[in-house]
Amino acid sequence: MSRLAPSPTGDLHLGNLRTFALNWALARSLGWTLRLRLEDLDAPRVKPGAIEATVDLLRWIGFEHDGPALRQSSDLAPYRAAMERLAAMGLVYSCGLSRAALRRALSAPHVGEREHRCPASMRPTERSRWRFAAGDVNHRFATPPGSIEIVDAIAGAHRFDPAEEVGDFVLWTRCDLPSYQLAVVVDDARQGVTDVVRGDDLLPSAARQALLYRALGAPIPRWWHVPLVLGSDGARLAKRADSRSAWSYRREGVAPERLVGLLARWLGVVAERAPLSSGEFLAAFASRADPDAAGATLDGLGLRPVVFDEEDHRWLLGQPLALALPARIPAGAGCAAPPAAPPTSEQRAAHRAGPAG
């Protein structure tokens, strides 16, 4: 079981679609159920019509999902229940929070966005604050000390120390809404998600989420963190930076097959740009990646950060390509963590065995 989990804060950019393409191809190759989850809790940033546009775009390009879509904002009861459980274990306390920090808590953290650490020394001593009472107050998770190893099918093994890196992170905001970190764990657990495929800017979040899975008694999923698509300036593509969106190309008459063909090249599935239907992409993926039901690694694809350059743009529009050298990836750009060695044979065996409890 996996999920596509777009945030309807604007049109999907091509970096989003590349990750979705890999997630969809893995799901269809390995027999996973693939759900669609609309992460719309950050209400002030949700754009009118973005939910409908996202669903329509995925259908148009051929990345279909299974079953009805889940909208996070439609039912907050599961998140409140999780908070009650954590509070009963003495893991939640109320605190004050600035507006800027609140906004960061609602949104998924990305590479280059600094988070302010909240050390254990700042925890309240009053017993009355170690409970969950929804309302005009924020709540933090009492992060335990120690490092956590995340073994990723793409990024390899990394160690993180959430207590040292971010400290006690926000779980519930004074807007009476769950934070990204809590909502994604609760939703993955209740939907039975076993495999999480997403951008590698969220790799550090896997450690925080692992703490929450354990505290809630839920199995930890397998992780597949995908290298990012970068702009020609070396920065990741982002809705907030007005990157060229998939919808903008659709409005200009670009066929879905051209978008899929470019995504396939970016994923290492094909060597050259060429129009592909979603079905042709899936067949090429299965041949190149050679996934199997035991849980494939993707060494055959050679996944790495890619640059969306002017040549890609011109090709999508069917314009003649200029003779130019390929764009170089700026040193260190697009990496959510220092490069890691490939997983060891023991780590690969653990990954094939399935999610850890």
Side-chain angles (χ1 to χ4, degrees), residues 17-161:
L17 275 188
R18 177 177 180 250
T19 300
F20 289 174
L22 178 60
N23 201 349
W24 177 81
L26 279 168
R28 294 299 175 248
S29 298
L30 298 176
W32 301 344
T33 299
L34 186 64
R35 301 298 190 192
L36 177 63
R37 184 165 75 222
L38 299 160
E39 300 192 339
D40 63 341
L41 291 175
D42 193 0
R45 293 183 55 238
V46 172
K47 305 297 183 186
I51 290 176
E52 295 77 10
T54 296
V55 173
D56 183 56
L57 181 73
L58 292 173
R59 183 185 302 114
W60 173 74
I61 206 167
F63 297 159
E64 75 282 358
H65 61 277
D66 303 308
L70 170 69
R71 286 186 63 169
Q72 288 181 324
S73 64
S74 65
D75 182 11
L76 299 182
Y79 313 120
R80 291 196 176 97
M83 286 294 294
E84 294 286 358
R85 289 184 60 188
L86 294 171
M89 291 183 278
L91 296 176
V92 169
Y93 64 89
S94 61
C95 74
L97 195 65
S98 69
R99 287 183 180 273
L102 172 62
R103 182 63 57 230
R104 286 190 295 271
L106 282 169
S107 302
H110 297 286
V111 64
E113 295 180 350
R114 181 172 177 270
E115 294 182 77
H116 295 283
R117 180 172 176 266
C118 180
S121 60
M122 299 294 291
R123 292 173 186 169
T125 57
E126 308 96 312
R127 292 180 60 86
S128 61
R129 290 179 58 187
W130 286 84
R131 61 189 180 89
F132 174 57
D136 188 22
V137 66
N138 310 291
H139 293 78
R140 290 183 183 268
F141 178 71
T143 306
S147 65
I148 297 175
E149 183 179 54
I150 299 297
V151 179
D152 190 272
I154 299 171
H158 291 271
R159 297 199 75 87
F160 299 96
D161 190 335

Side-chain angles (χ1 to χ4, degrees), residues 186-277:
V186 170
D187 287 336
D188 283 346
R190 64 175 170 147
Q191 289 188 293
V193 170
T194 59
D195 292 82
V196 171
V197 183
R198 60 189 182 187
D200 71 358
D201 53 340
L202 290 172
L203 181 57
S205 286
R208 276 172 267 179
Q209 291 162 15
L211 291 174
L212 294 177
Y213 284 115
R214 291 171 183 170
L216 292 169
I220 299 173
R222 288 177 290 235
W223 309 105
W224 308 70
H225 284 90
V226 188
L228 301 181
V229 177
L230 312 175
S232 57
D233 59 355
R236 71 180 183 91
L237 297 187
K239 302 169 190 172
R240 306 168 197 177
D242 296 324
S243 302
R244 288 296 299 254
S245 71
W247 254 106
S248 69
Y249 286 109
R250 183 180 180 181
R251 284 191 291 267
E252 292 186 50
V254 174
E257 291 81 6
R258 291 190 84 82
L259 284 170
V260 172
L262 181 61
L263 300 176
R265 183 172 185 259
W266 283 351
L267 288 169
V269 172
V270 296
E272 303 295 335
R273 303 178 189 92
L276 293 173
S277 68

